[in-house]
């Protein structure tokens, strides 16, 4: 139970089947020439023979994905803080150390993180899930571990060494049984002005033999995270999805957030279904997201800008999400 207030640490202790947990590290170099997602995790499907730990690497600029499969016994997690090890590879909120050699690819990395900015954890709202974090047996739980942080270090893939000194990063995670059947996800922290970051998600949430559409958006601006979530009374006034654009308008009691995201070609990544990595999600790190943030009362614009190197996903059925607003 105490782990609820530490969403970053491993939540799956004691789980044996129908379970997954994965951490998502997005890293962009200073010149914005390279964009990588590094995703360590564990997959515990119904068939114990298929249980395994994994490390995924998405090379967004070259549209290439690497998937490294490890034995379940190669996975280790600290009980009190976020530190996991998969074979020779180490992951924490402070750094990533990679030492991978599968006979075909050799990957080494030392990436160090500073100035981590997480979604605040409070007594009655332990992270980005809000009070939903207390609901048992939800299909999927989520955590935002760093809206924005600095990177120093390198990533070396098959003797191609890439410097990430003065780069930017973002960290989140998911855990549970399966990813939703329909969802939208977006994230960017590369705006013209430094220190601004956007995260957002809209998803089908199974609930008491039915479902509803949940949503969580956070805009980091001037050192404050402005929250637009279902559990704080925010309403989605517009949701449009087509082949080229995702448009969303959110209103809480005092503020309005308008989003226009340009969809680009992505890469298919494995995703969990009942703990097994058999689903697919197409993710781009080359999208652009235009954001307009203003006061509801007098329409004064606080911020307007376009985020680059944006992560963007849409999976499933937009009509399913739209129906979920009235359930």
């Amino acid at each position: 139970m105490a782990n609820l207030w530490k969403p970053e640490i491993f939540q799956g202790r004691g789980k044996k089947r129908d379970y997954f947990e994965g951490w998502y590290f997005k890293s962009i170099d200073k010149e914005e020439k390279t964009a990588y997602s590094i995703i360590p995790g564990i997959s515990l499907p119904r068939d114990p023979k298929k249980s395994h730990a994994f490390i995924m690497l998405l090379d967004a600029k070259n549209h290439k994905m690497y998937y490294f499969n490890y034995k379940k016994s190669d996975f280790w997690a600290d009980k009190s803080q976020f530190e996991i090890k998969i074979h020779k590879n180490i992951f924490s909120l402070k750094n990533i150390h990679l030492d991978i050699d599968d006979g075909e690819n050799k990957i080494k990395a030392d990436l160090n993180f500073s100035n981590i900015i997480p979604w605040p954890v409070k007594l009655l709202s332990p992270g980005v899930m809000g009070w939903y974090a207390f609901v048992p047996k939800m299909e999927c739980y989520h955590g935002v571990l760093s809206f924005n942080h600095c990177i120093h270090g390198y990533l070396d893939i098959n003797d191609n060494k890439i410097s990430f000194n003065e780069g930017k990063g973002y960290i989140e995670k998911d855990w549970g049984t399966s990813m939703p059947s329909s969802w939208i996800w977006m994230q960017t922290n590369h705006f013209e002005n430094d220190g601004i970051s956007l995260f957002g998600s809209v998803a089908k949430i199974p609930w008491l033999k039915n479902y509803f559409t949940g949503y969580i958006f956070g805009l980091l601006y001037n050192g404050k995270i402005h929250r637009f979530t279902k559990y704080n009374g925010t309403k989605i006034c517009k949701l449009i999805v087509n082949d080229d654009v995702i448009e969303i308008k959110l209103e809480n009691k005092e503020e309005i957030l308008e989003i226009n995201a340009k969809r680009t070609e992505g890469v298919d990544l494995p995703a969990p279904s009942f703990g097994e990595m058999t689903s697919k999600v197409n993710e781009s790190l080359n999208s652009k997201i235009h954001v307009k943030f203003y006061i509801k009362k007098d329409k004064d614009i606080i911020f307007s800008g376009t985020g680059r190197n944006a992560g963007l996903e849409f999976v499933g059925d937009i009509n399913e999400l739209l129906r979920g607003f009235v359930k």
Side-chain angles (χ1 to χ4, degrees):
M1 185 70 175
N3 285 357
L4 287 176
W5 289 272
K6 295 181 178 179
E8 69 277 10
I9 72 173
F10 180 51
Q11 303 289 318
R13 205 166 296 280
K15 301 289 186 181
K16 296 181 179 180
R17 52 175 282 179
D18 294 342
Y19 185 79
F20 78 95
E21 190 159 351
W23 294 258
Y24 175 94
F25 295 81
K26 176 186 172 188
S27 299
I28 311 289
D29 73 307
K30 182 181 178 181
E31 289 78 22
E32 302 178 34
K33 293 181 179 179
T34 57
Y36 279 85
S37 293
I38 303 173
I39 308 170
I42 189 162
S43 168
L44 303 176
R46 292 180 178 178
D47 183 352
K49 294 179 181 179
K50 296 181 180 179
S51 294
H52 68 283
F54 61 84
I55 299 173
M56 275 188 274
L57 271 76
L58 166 61
D59 177 354
K61 300 295 185 182
N62 294 311
H63 298 280
K64 188 171 183 178
M65 191 274 292
Y66 304 84
Y67 190 97
F68 300 100
N69 193 313
Y70 294 89
K71 294 182 294 184
K72 176 185 171 184
S73 59
D74 285 331
F75 180 90
W76 173 89
D78 192 282
K79 293 182 179 180
S80 60
Q81 63 182 353
F82 172 44
E83 182 180 352
I84 63 170
K85 297 178 182 178
I86 300 176
H87 195 48
K88 298 179 181 180
N89 308 281
I90 302 171
F91 305 86
S92 74
L93 289 180
K94 296 180 179 179
N95 70 296
I96 291 176
H97 172 78
L98 296 181
D99 186 357
I100 298 171
D101 185 350
D102 67 352
E104 182 178 352
N105 296 287
K106 291 185 178 181
I107 300 177
K108 291 185 179 292
D110 274 305
L111 300 171
N112 300 293
F113 311 135
S114 59
N115 302 322
I116 296 285
I117 304 175
W119 190 287
V121 172
K122 299 180 179 181
L123 180 62
L124 299 178
S125 184
V128 71
M129 294 285 294
W131 65 264
Y132 287 106
F134 298 107
V135 178
K137 298 183 179 181
M138 291 191 71
E139 182 180 48
C140 185
Y141 298 86
H142 193 74
V144 175
L145 312 183
S146 179
F147 270 88
N148 195 33
H149 58 264
C150 301
I151 305 175
H152 284 270
Y154 73 92
L155 174 65
D156 189 319
I157 299 181
N158 298 322
D159 296 322
N160 178 26
K161 191 171 184 179
I162 304 162
S163 172
F164 279 88
N165 290 336
E166 299 184 62
K168 279 187 180 183
Y170 167 83
I171 308 171
E172 66 171 40
K173 67 174 295 191
D174 291 286
W175 68 98
T177 301
S178 304
M179 294 296 285
S181 60
S182 298
W183 84 84
I184 297 165
W185 172 87
M186 59 183 65
Q187 187 279 327
T188 177
N189 51 357
H190 280 82
F191 290 89
E192 185 176 348
N193 299 323
D194 203 13
I196 300 172
S197 181
L198 172 76
F199 151 78
S201 177
V202 182
K204 175 187 174 183
I205 311 295
W207 189 266
L208 301 176
K209 298 183 180 181
N210 204 331
Y211 78 94
F212 67 91
T213 297
Y215 42 91
I216 305 169
F217 285 78
L219 177 69
L220 175 65
Y221 180 78
N222 271 356
K224 179 182 177 181
I225 297 172
H226 299 264
R227 302 170 217 187
F228 297 82
T229 70
K230 184 175 179 65
Y231 58 79
N232 79 352
T234 294
K235 295 182 179 179
I236 288 188
C237 305
K238 179 198 289 186
L239 178 59
I240 297 172
V241 178
N242 57 45
D243 291 339
D244 302 312
V245 175
I246 297 175
E247 293 184 62
I248 304 174
K249 182 178 180 181
L250 303 110
E251 293 187 10
N252 60 29
K253 291 181 180 180
E254 299 178 350
E255 302 164 331
I256 295 176
L257 183 65
E258 294 185 3
I259 296 168
N260 185 296
K262 305 290 187 182
R263 300 177 68 182
T264 59
E265 181 184 359
V267 177
D268 285 338
L269 303 178
S273 177
F274 294 98
E276 189 172 356
M277 305 298 284
T278 53
S279 295
K280 293 289 184 183
V281 52
N282 188 272
E283 179 179 327
S284 166
L285 293 182
N286 300 313
S287 298
K288 291 184 178 181
I289 301 176
H290 183 75
V291 175
K292 186 186 290 185
F293 173 49
Y294 53 96
I295 299 297
K296 187 174 181 178
K297 183 177 180 180
D298 52 20
K299 306 297 184 183
D300 281 351
I301 294 177
I302 301 172
F303 171 73
S304 179
T306 300
R308 311 176 304 279
N309 306 307
L312 190 62
E313 300 172 355
F314 172 62
V315 174
D317 182 359
I318 182 61
N319 291 318
E320 185 176 54
L321 292 178
L322 293 172
R323 289 193 299 270
F325 288 125
V326 297
K327 287 183 178 289

